[in-house]
């Protein structure tokens, strides 16, 4: 039973991070219809910025997180301005290739600047709680709480604030949004900024239990895509639930079936779900 | 020729077409009118097999085609145009049309790989058919132009030609004169008449009343998915229900 | 001086870039030293070395393309590559194109298939298996949990290690390798292995993720020992795992800095001086040695471009190699082209690395 | 006729095709060294796979992100049959193509129910599953170790395909065949059928085209191309591992396609050659070349969305149309007084309203 | 207040507006008559910035606003209630209305006041204010669209076929509402198929054909013109 709950905890940890990253991806996808393959690299840059502010400059963890969020948000906005905005009328395949170009660039740039070695980011929260046979490192609690509160904040932001509403409005009817005076460029930039900041925060939360290196975003972005397809592109609850589904699949599949095969299990799950429901779990039937 | 019984289509809670029964005769021009969102295009989609009805039956030339796949229905002889014209913009007009006759050909991959006689014959046939229909719609002179470069009205005609290239018995035209100016509209009406003269049955959706009233043999009026009237243009013009729902009344104007 | 081009093809971008860079670094270091000392003489000619490095992203076909390019465009008589895939791809034509393949991989098949112009730079790991088994089993018990990586090298290790462990009376209670490069988190995999209550965990892949696995095993309450596959270096692991304490009871290869032979000390000192005190990895050291061994073989063969002769003279060359250029103390090369070394073993005891020599362990 | 037009006319002519083939045949003689021949041969092999992708993505409009995996399936089929089962090269080669077709059919039937991005990401996942299977299914694929000592194509005692130049010619033959079939397909009724599907599923279906059957056909064609290319690749590099199925290869191929011109006949070849040689010439930048290459890709996609060949053909088609129009107008004004035909042309050209 | 000078708009190579010159005075209610596809919506979209004119000038209160972004034009007081409504279907009615006041988002009191006005104008919306806009009937959605435009507190209101899909009774009401809005000082430019009803509340009208303005006149001239009656009002 302990082991079962241990896997629940693992699933939650993974699911939180996946969800957070997928959320940024789905936000951009739902509103701007940009399949941003560079999102994994953006996440990676987030991890590096935190690492540098924390380890090299000696700032506090939370300051590092804020710096990473700000820097990566700016980077995302830059990508939007320089690449995706000029491509907004191009066929989607062009966006994909451009995003891959960005990804290559970011990885190479990071490697050039900081080398390819694995780095380990320390965390100030090193306690490990042992409750009823369950091992719960503080950082993991932080990840889960951080991710879920961020999701909640994002949800409230989108639902309750005027600025958030402009993002949703844009997703639901672009021209309608223009007509009430919403500035499309502003919303596009804001969306990219939020998406980048989410990735950076996700990276900062996750990095302490993992390693930081230039290609760290590769598999994550694959999974994030799986998640947003699974949850329905552009759907926020879809991204969260999708993240949890994949997280739990990996934890339970990895534990009860085989760790070596856990990725196959996750991807096969997607194939099965989409074979049954081709538009994902959370897309509405209309349109 | 086309017999519809109790046709209903629901999208979630919305009945886009609800319990419509109607008969369209061969060799005639049948019009469908109604306010925006009345379910006209949906009705076409149902007949053409693009979507499956929730309830009801569709019979074409005595054969039950309810729920049949789109491409089979096309092979049975129902062709259509779309409300927004779709063509391959990067190739020439003639190249666009050649594929229209594809459904009357048999060539398979194998024929293509060995460039069989059958394929060559059929390609010739398709090209000939494309030239025919292009001539029919009066556009022979622009066959070589890029589709992206021709005018809106010409595109509509090309779309007609594409539908005709399938050798249809019945053609469904969704707002063929949408976005076409009055002068051209008259020419387009003449073209539609010519199609009927050549033995094709036409069914069209249109908001341009002058055109409809002068062209149609029979009009069906839809509103909120329901058939609210059916009859000759004169009957429809007088029908108070239609006037209220769609046409607007002269009395209103006089009052 | 004449310039002699020496080729390198390895991953310099992508996921394996670090590994590739380290190996290249070793070559470059040796080349710079040789050049700074005025080159090396073969016959009447003195040569400077130029390392021509090409990126292959760990792809065999790109390695083959690079190999062709190196041989034909840069006329390199010797090509170094740090991966088995690249080695296999290059072996398709190295005999025909007459270049010596210096392969930095421990996968035994690269030399077993009888390629006449291949040298395997690192020793195979087989020498470690028995002492590792003995040390770990004596101290912690007979139940082994496998949680190492899934790449080719790790698989070889597992395949050869398990029979040895079982022959010594041990059992394998859990077999759950994990993809060290792709996994986001090892908690699931590690807890699965720990659920079988092993006494000893067999781990290993690249050093840092291995350290992470060890750390998470400790977090999850594992108290036993680790058998560490030789690819991972205890020193580097410790940085990630949370100090040597976390690795208490580990048995693995000796970090070069702890070797303390004259050769290794000289090399480590040199490296640390040039790199702000950073410790050299075995990738650097072996490839550094590899280039010196090549040069020595060239001198012994009296030729810089006849690959066959150079290969034949490799054993003779090794005898002339000075200790400071041979940090691991490689003694000779076997018939098939594998370097032979008597390995030392590192055991972590009371938070310190303790060196045991192979012969001592087995003598007990 | 301007000189420019003459040149562009020549580029499209059959004579040009002969010239290209001649150049390709002479290339090994002109090449400075074997390495260039080797790179060229490898590029040809990739180009064959890219031609496959062009059928399903360029013509039929379905972005298949499992393409690299099918390439690997071809390579593995050949390797497993020859190395583990002792088949001779050529039967195994045929089997590899057939395996590509068979698996393509199975995957196509399931995945083509999805549309657009869903299809793309679905195939991305299928590709990843295929990769993982190659990595994990050790008893069949040798797992991460890969398969070594794959035989080179059998030369029947006449030629030795382990040599670079003969292999180059072999690849060239397959490439020419591939282009030939691709051209047959794209210019035939079948190609037009695919094209209609690319414009719109609805339009195609309303023209009586069976969507599923044709999409699956396009998909199977493309996977067959990929598998054949993969098998050739295995016979050339003679070692394969799971990395062959990495999505990176798929993205590479999309890049080739986009750079050359998606949906065009010569685009796949041009794109593959351009990028291959560009990458080779950027090698001197070593690990930093992506810093140049990434932005280059972005700029290309933004400023030349149709690719090299696409931009050229679009430009030429427009010129030709204009020329013919002028001709038509001239003859019309010469012969007949501006009547029905001619006047409506004018109207069309001058005032679209 | 609004001045158009030889405005031209294109969709690709197709000229949907040509040489359109017109003016609307402060406080006027001007009707734009024209057949389907004549270019009414195109003109409206050009005025509200969704479409950039390819030639010509547009001035608002003497200020050149040619080619401004929609958001800038909304801020300048030009608000369009578009053809096809363009609501945010999954948001509540209230949210839709509130977003209409996006440019005034800092003026909370002002928003509340306008909202009250709108809700008293369309009481049914008050009842439905928490429902998703997409779930409303066509007519109700049209009310939301008009209400949303009013929330922007326009000085120039562009109404593109507001009666579309509305039941006759509602149409009558709506025309009265428009008249009321206009009488309170908002300048209105109105495109309508329901020409007679529109003309009755208008001051002036323009007729557009194939993207060109072909006629202009005040209400009575227009109503009296035989051709107009036949073409747009019905014989
Ligand atoms: N796929 C669909 N899913 C949900 N609702 C739909 C779908 N297609 C159409 N509808 C709805 O069905 C109703 C009828 O639509 P339809 O397109 O048939 O109208 P129409 O009569 O052709 O209108 P118009 O004259 O504007 O073209 C509309 O309310 C529309 O929103
Ligand atoms: N997005 C577009 N792309 C190309 N052509 C368009 C587009 N929108 C409109 N048109 C064309 O521009 C012309 C004017 O259209 P517009 O919508 O302005 O007419 P309208 O007067 O508003 O008609 P309606 O009464 O039907 O609303 C039409 O010929 C139409 O086909
Ligand atoms: C220990 C190392 C020599 C192993 C190396 N990583 C390889 O490719 O096999
Ligand atoms: Mg319609
Ligand atoms: Mg309009």
């Amino acid at each position: 039973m302990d082991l079962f709950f241990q896997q629940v905890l693992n699933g939650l940890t993974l699911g939180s991070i996946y969800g957070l990253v997928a959320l940024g991806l789905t936000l951009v996808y739902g509103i701007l219809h940009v399949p941003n393959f560079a999102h994994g690299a953006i996440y990676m840059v987030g991890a590096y910025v935190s690492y540098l502010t924390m380890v090299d400059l000696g700032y506090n963890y939370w300051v590092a997180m804020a710096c990473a969020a700000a820097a990566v948000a700016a980077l995302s906005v830059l990508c939007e301005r320089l690449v995706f905005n000029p491509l907004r009328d191009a066929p989607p395949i062009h966006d994909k290739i451009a995003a891959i170009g960005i990804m290559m660039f970011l990885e190479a740039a990071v490697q050039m600047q900081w080398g390819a070695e694995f780095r380990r980011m320390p965390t100030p929260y090193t306690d490990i709680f042992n409750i009823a046979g369950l091992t719960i490192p503080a950082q993991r609690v932080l990840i889960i709480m951080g991710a879920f509160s961020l999701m909640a904040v994002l949800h409230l932001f989108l639902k309750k604030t005027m600025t958030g509403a402009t993002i949703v409005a844009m997703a639901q009817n672009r021209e309608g949004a223009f007509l009430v005076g919403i500035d499309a460029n502003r919303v596009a930039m804001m969306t990219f900024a939020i998406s980048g900041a989410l990735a950076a925060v996700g990276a900062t939360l996750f990095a302490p239990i993992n390693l930081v290196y230039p290609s760290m975003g590769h598999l994550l972005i694959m999974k994030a895509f799986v998640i947003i397809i699974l949850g329905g592109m552009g759907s926020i609850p879809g991204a969260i639930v999708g993240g949890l589904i994949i997280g739990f699949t990996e934890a339970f599949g990895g534990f009860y079936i085989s760790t070596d095969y856990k990725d196959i299990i996750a991807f096969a799950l997607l194939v099965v779900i989409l074979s049954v429901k081709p538009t994902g779990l959370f897309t509405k039937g209309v349109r | 020729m086309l017999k519809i019984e109790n046709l209903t289509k629901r999208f979630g809670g919305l009945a886009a077409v609800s319990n419509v029964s109607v008969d369209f005769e061969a060799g005639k021009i049948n019009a469908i009118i109604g306010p925006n969102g009345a379910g006209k295009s949906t009705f076409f989609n149902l007949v053409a097999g693009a979507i499956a009805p929730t309830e009801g039956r569709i019979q074409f030339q005595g054969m039950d085609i309810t729920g049949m796949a789109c491409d089979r229905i096309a092979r049975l002889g129902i062709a259509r145009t779309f409300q927004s014209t779709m063509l391959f913009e990067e190739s020439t007009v003639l190249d666009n049309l050649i594929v229209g006759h594809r459904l009357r050909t048999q060539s398979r991959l194998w024929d293509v790989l060995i460039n069989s006689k059958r394929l060559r014959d059929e390609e010739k046939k398709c090209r000939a058919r494309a030239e025919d229909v292009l001539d029919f719609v009066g556009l022979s002179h622009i066959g070589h132009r890029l589709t992206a470069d021709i005018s809106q009205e010409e595109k509509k005609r090309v779309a007609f030609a594409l539908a005709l290239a399938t050798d249809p018995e019945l053609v469904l035209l969704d707002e063929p004169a949408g976005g076409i100016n009055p002068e051209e509209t008259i020419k387009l009406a003449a073209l539609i008449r010519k199609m009927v003269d050549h033995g094709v049955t036409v069914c069209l959706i249109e908001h341009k009343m002058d055109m409809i009233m002068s062209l149609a043999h029979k009009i069906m009026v839809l509103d909120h998915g329901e058939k609210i009237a059916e009859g000759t243009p004169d009957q429809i013009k007088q029908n108070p229900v239609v006037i209220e729902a769609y046409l607007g009344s002269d009395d209103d104007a006089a009052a | 001086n004449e310039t002699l081009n020496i080729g390198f093809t390895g991953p310099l971008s992508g996921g394996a870039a670090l590994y590739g860079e380290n190996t290249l670094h070793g070559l470059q270091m040796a080349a710079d030293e040789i050049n700074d000392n005025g080159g090396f003489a073969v016959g009447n000619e003195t040569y400077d070395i130029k390392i021509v490095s090409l990126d292959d992203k760990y792809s065999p076909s790109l390695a083959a393309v690079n190999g062709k390019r190196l041989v034909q465009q840069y006329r390199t008589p010797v090509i170094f590559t740090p991966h088995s895939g690249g080695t296999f791809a290059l072996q398709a034509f190295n005999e025909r194109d007459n270049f010596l393949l210096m392969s930095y991989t421990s996968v035994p098949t690269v030399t077993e298939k009888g390629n006449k112009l291949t040298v395997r730079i690192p020793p195979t790991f087989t020498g470690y298996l028995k002492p590792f088994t003995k040390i770990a089993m004596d101290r912690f018990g007979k139940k082994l949990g496998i949680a190492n990586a899934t790449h080719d090298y790790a698989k070889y290790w597992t395949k050869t290690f398990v029979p040895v462990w079982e022959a010594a009376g041990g059992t394998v209670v859990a077999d759950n390798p994990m993809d060290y490069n792709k996994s986001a988190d090892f908690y699931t995999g590690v807890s699965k292995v720990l659920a079988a209550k092993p006494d000893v965990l067999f781990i290993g892949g690249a050093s840092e993720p291995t350290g992470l696995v060890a750390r998470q095993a400790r977090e999850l309450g594992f108290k036993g020992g680790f058998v560490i596959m030789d690819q991972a270096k205890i020193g580097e692991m410790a940085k990630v795992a949370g100090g040597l304490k976390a690795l208490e009871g580990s048995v693995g290869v000796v970090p070069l800095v702890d070797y303390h032979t004259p050769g290794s000390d000289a090399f480590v000192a040199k490296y640390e001086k040039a790199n702000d005190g950073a410790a050299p990895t075995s990738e650097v050291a072996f490839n550094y040695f590899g280039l010196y061994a090549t040069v020595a073989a060239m001198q012994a063969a009296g030729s810089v471009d006849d690959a066959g002769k150079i290969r034949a003279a490799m054993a003779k060359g090794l005898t002339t190699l000075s200790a400071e250029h041979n940090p691991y103390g490689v003694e000779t090369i076997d018939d098939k082209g594998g370097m032979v070394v008597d390995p030392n073993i590192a055991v972590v005891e009371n938070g310190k690395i303790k060196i045991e020599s192979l012969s001592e362990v087995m003598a007990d | 006729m301007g000189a420019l037009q003459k040149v562009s006319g020549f580029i499209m002519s059959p004579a040009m095709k002969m010239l290209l083939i001649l150049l390709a045949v002479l290339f090994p003689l002109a090449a400075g060294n074997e390495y260039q021949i080797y790179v060229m041969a490898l590029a040809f092999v990739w180009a064959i796979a890219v031609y496959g992708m062009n059928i399903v993505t360029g013509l039929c409009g379905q972005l298949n992100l499992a393409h690299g995996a099918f390439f690997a399936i071809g390579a593995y089929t050949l390797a497993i049959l020859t190395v583990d089962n002792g088949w001779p090269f050529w039967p195994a080669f045929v089997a590899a193509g057939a395996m590509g077709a068979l698996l393509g059919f199975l995957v196509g039937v399931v995945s083509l129910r999805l549309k657009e991005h869903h299809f793309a990401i679905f195939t991305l996942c299928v590709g990843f599953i295929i990769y993982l299977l190659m990595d994990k299914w050790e008893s069949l694929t040798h797992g991460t170790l890969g398969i070594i000592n794959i035989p080179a194509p059998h030369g029947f005692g006449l030629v030795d395909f382990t040599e670079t130049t003969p292999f180059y010619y072999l690849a060239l033959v397959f490439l020419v065949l591939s282009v030939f079939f691709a051209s047959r397909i794209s210019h035939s009724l079948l190609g037009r059928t695919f094209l209609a599907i690319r414009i719109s599923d609805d339009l195609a279906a309303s023209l009586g085209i069976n969507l599923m059957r044709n999409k699956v056909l396009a998909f199977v064609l493309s996977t067959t191309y990929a598998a054949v290319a993969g098998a050739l690749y295995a016979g050339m590099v003679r070692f394969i591992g799971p990395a062959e199925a990495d999505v990176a290869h798929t993205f590479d191929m999309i890049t080739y396609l986009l750079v050359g011109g998606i949906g065009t006949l010569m685009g796949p070849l041009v794109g593959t050659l351009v990028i291959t040689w560009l990458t080779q010439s950027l090698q001197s930048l070593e690990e930093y070349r992506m810093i140049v290459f990434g932005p280059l890709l972005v700029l290309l996609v933004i400023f030349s969305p149709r690719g090299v060949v696409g931009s050229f053909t679009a430009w030429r088609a427009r010129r030709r149309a204009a020329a013919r129009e002028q001709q038509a107008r001239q003859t019309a004004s010469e012969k007949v007084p501006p009547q029905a035909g001619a006047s409506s042309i004018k109207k069309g050209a001058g005032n679209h309203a | 207040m609004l001045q158009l000078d030889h405005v031209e708009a294109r969709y690709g190579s197709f000229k949907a507006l040509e040489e359109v010159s017109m003016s609307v005075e402060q406080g006027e209610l001007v009707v734009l008559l024209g057949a389907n596809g004549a270019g009414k919506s195109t003109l409206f979209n050009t005025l509200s910035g969704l479409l950039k004119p390819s030639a010509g000038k547009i001035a608002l209160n003497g200020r050149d606003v040619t080619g401004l972004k929609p958001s800038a034009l909304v801020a300048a007081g030009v608000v369009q209630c578009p053809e096809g409504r363009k609501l945010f279907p999954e948001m509540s009615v209230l949210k839709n209305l509130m977003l209409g006041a996006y440019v005034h988002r800092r003026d909370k009191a002002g928003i509340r006041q306008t909202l009250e006005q709108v809700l008293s104008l369309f009481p049914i919306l008050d009842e439905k204010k928490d429902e998703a806009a997409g779930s409303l009937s066509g007519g109700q959605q049209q009310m939301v669209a008009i209400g949303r435009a009013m929330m922007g507190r326009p000085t120039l209101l562009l109404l593109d076929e507001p009666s579309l899909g509305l039941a006759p009774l509602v149409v009558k009401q709506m025309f009265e509402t428009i008249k009321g809005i206009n009488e309170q000082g908002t300048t209105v430019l109105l495109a309508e198929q329901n020409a007679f009803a529109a003309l009755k509340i208008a001051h002036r009208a323009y007729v557009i054909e194939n993207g060109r303005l072909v006629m202009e006149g005040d209400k009575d001239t227009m109503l009296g013109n035989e051709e107009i009656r036949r073409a747009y009002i019905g014989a």
Side-chain angles (χ1 to χ4, degrees), chain C residues 275-298:
Chain C
N275 293 283
D276 300 331
T281 64
S282 60
E283 278 88 37
V284 178
F286 266 120
N287 282 279
Y288 170 89
F289 153 77
L291 188 60
Y292 268 110
T294 308
V295 167
M298 283 174 172

Side-chain angles (χ1 to χ4, degrees), chain A residues 118 210-211 213 215-216 219 259-260 262-263, chain C residues 15 145-151 154 176-186 189-190 193 201-215 217 226-229 231-232 237, chain D residues 135-136 144:
Chain A
F118 290 99
N210 212 299
L211 296 166
Y213 52 99
S215 57
M216 64 189 282
L219 194 67
T259 311
D260 205 11
K262 71 180 192 317
D263 288 330
Chain C
I146 299 176
N148 67 338
T150 54
H151 59 290
N176 194 39
M178 299 173 282
D179 193 330
Y180 277 29
N181 295 322
K182 293 216 172 100
S183 291
D185 187 17
F186 299 113
V190 172
V193 178
L201 270 192
F202 172 45
I203 58 176
S207 300
E208 292 82 359
T210 310
L212 206 56
V213 170
R215 179 195 184 97
F226 296 106
V227 168
I228 301 167
M229 199 174 92
Q231 187 184 351
M237 278 174 64
Chain D
D135 194 55
K136 312 281 181 205
T144 44

